[in-house]
Amino acid sequence: MEKKKVFIIDTNVILFDPHAIFKFAEHDVVLPLVVVEEVDNFKRDMSENGRNARTFSRLIDELRSKGALSKGIPLKSGGKMFIDIGTTEKIPELPHLDLGKPDNQMLALAKKMSKSSKDEIIFISKDINLRIKADACGVKAEDYEPSKFEVEDIYTGTASISVKGVLIDDFYAKRKLPVEGMDHNFHPNQFIFIRDDSNPNHTAIGRFDVGQNSIIPVFKPSEGLWGVYPRNAEQAFAIDLLLNDEIKLVSLVGKAGTGKTLLAIAAGLSKTVDEGLYSRLLVSRPVMPMGHDIGYLPGTIEEKLNPYMQPIFDNIDFLFGVSSVAKTNRRGAGKGTQELINQGLLNVEPLTYIRGRSIPNQFMIVDEAQNLTPHELKTIITRAGEGTKIVLTGDTMQIDHPYLDSMNNGLANVVECFKNEGIAGHVTMVKGERSKLSELATQLMQ
């Protein structure tokens, strides 16, 4: 019989997922009182931390009606949830532990319970250094990862099959390759590399269409997208998804220079400005600086946001054929971009104020989506109104958020959650096309 476990939860876990206390199956959950005090410090914040803090407080208040928190309240999963006042007594094994610090109070409680309990005590924290510290103190510590999957297991959006050469000839002639009888289980809108099992140079590429139960050719616009043509198969796959009006959620994951953002913006301009299918192109990204933050910025809201939105402006101006030299000396939107904004066809904004909005009939691009939590991306996707298409771009290996990694970020979560849905499509882009220098830097500098 598996030994019963008791999980002691750190504050950052609650701020990451306010429902975390319900996700430890039949095991008990202990919240140190200091966690409740720390969460209380965030309740007035208008950030995601503040919203999560308020959600958690409401959940705990509801549980109070079912019993005493100090004695344990039964959870639907089978375990119990306790709030422990902790300890201010020095732990003999840890004489130098400063109990004036909240983190150390949690460690002291975990150490004390480990000594007195027959159950397995596990400290759960999203703070890497605190987990290291816990291990040094003899306390078992783990990260909070509600979605357990490895990086290499994340859905790539592609697959390879080997068939007889005559089937590839039929695919080109009939523009369809039925998959009935094949020993493969394809995901909706998955891209397939088709190879001749007797001739490696006889190949084709296609996309699995659920409705037809067949592999169909990848759509390639003859005139490109605003002068942009695919340079490799992955970019061709991305364009096929971006221009398919039946696919309402597209995720493009790849390293720097693979063309994710440029292709997404080009498709958005094509669908909005050229075809008029959408009323507006909405481009947004998290306000997340790289490296040391320079603090508060002067000026209007537009001037404050320009440094964060500059990558978007650069891509749009590139599509308009405007070099950075031809632009004004100050940073910001170029002439072509500004004209689209003035006409109401383009809106570039941060994600800060998206909660509560309804966004109908728009082509929405969320750049750098790897810096968003699963809950934040859920909030964004649920804002989509009738006729809206959402494109998520990002690199799951370049994350600036302190409590996210390549597995638990919102972008990876969306890829896994929607891989079996016909309304969604995904491509992992590997080959860099920005420049030879950019590709070498990606390969050589880890």
Side-chain angles (χ1 to χ4, degrees), residues 313 316-317 320 333-342 346 348:
F313 297 144
I316 298 176
D317 289 335
F320 273 98
K335 183 178 179 180
T337 305
Q338 195 60 54
E339 287 180 359
L340 290 179
I341 294 174
N342 294 339
L346 171 66
V348 181

Side-chain angles (χ1 to χ4, degrees), residues 14-71:
I14 300 301
L15 296 178
F16 179 80
D17 179 5
H19 297 87
I21 57 176
F22 303 111
K23 298 181 179 178
F24 292 93
E26 71 278 9
H27 305 291
D28 291 345
V29 175
V30 175
L31 286 173
L33 186 61
V34 67
V35 168
V36 180
E37 294 174 345
E38 286 194 311
V39 168
D40 187 64
N41 294 331
F42 288 92
K43 67 182 182 183
R44 291 183 177 85
D45 286 6
M46 299 308 296
S47 64
E48 189 69 19
N49 283 340
R51 288 188 285 270
N52 288 343
R54 293 188 290 274
T55 299
F56 170 75
S57 297
R58 287 192 293 269
L59 291 174
I60 297 300
D61 194 43
E62 291 173 4
L63 289 175
R64 286 178 53 245
S65 62
K66 300 178 181 180
L69 292 168
S70 59
K71 297 180 180 179

Side-chain angles (χ1 to χ4, degrees), residues 368-388:
E368 302 291 345
Q370 78 278 1
N371 284 319
L372 298 169
T373 67
H375 180 70
E376 287 172 327
L377 263 184
K378 178 183 177 181
T379 300
I380 293 168
I381 295 173
T382 55
R383 297 304 95 206
E386 193 66 35
T388 287

Side-chain angles (χ1 to χ4, degrees), residues 99-117:
L99 295 181
K101 298 179 179 180
D103 286 353
N104 291 344
Q105 293 177 31
M106 298 179 207
L107 291 180
L109 174 61
K111 185 68 175 179
K112 180 181 178 181
M113 291 183 64
S114 298
K115 292 169 55 182
S116 60
S117 176

Side-chain angles (χ1 to χ4, degrees), residues 161 167 170-171 174-182 184-192 194 205-218 240 244:
I161 61 172
L167 292 179
D170 285 345
F171 175 70
K174 301 177 181 178
R175 301 186 63 78
K176 180 189 294 188
L177 177 61
V179 301
E180 187 175 356
M182 290 187 182
H184 294 280
N185 293 318
F186 300 119
H187 295 285
N189 300 314
Q190 186 172 22
F191 292 95
I192 315 298
I194 311 170
I205 57 174
R207 175 173 57 83
F208 176 61
D209 184 278
V210 176
Q212 302 183 54
N213 196 32
S214 302
I215 300 172
I216 61 175
V218 174
D240 180 273
N244 190 323

Side-chain angles (χ1 to χ4, degrees), residues 8 30 32 34 84-116 121 123 130 133-134 137-139:
I8 301 176
V30 175
V34 67
D84 195 295
I85 61 173
T87 179
T88 57
E89 299 176 1
K90 284 286 185 180
I91 306 297
E93 295 88 350
L94 307 172
H96 301 295
L97 199 65
D98 181 6
L99 295 181
K101 298 179 179 180
D103 286 353
N104 291 344
Q105 293 177 31
M106 298 179 207
L107 291 180
L109 174 61
K111 185 68 175 179
K112 180 181 178 181
M113 291 183 64
S114 298
K115 292 169 55 182
S116 60
I121 307 300
F123 181 54
L130 187 53
K133 193 174 178 179
C137 293
V139 174

Side-chain angles (χ1 to χ4, degrees), residues 23 69 106 110 158 174 215 217 229 237 248 299 303 318 321 336 355 397 418 421 434 442:
K23 298 181 179 178
L69 292 168
M106 298 179 207
T158 61
K174 301 177 181 178
I215 300 172
Y229 294 85
F237 297 160
K248 298 300 183 181
E303 291 170 335
F318 173 82
R355 180 178 288 271
M397 304 308 291
F418 281 87
E421 303 299 326
R434 179 172 290 162
T442 302

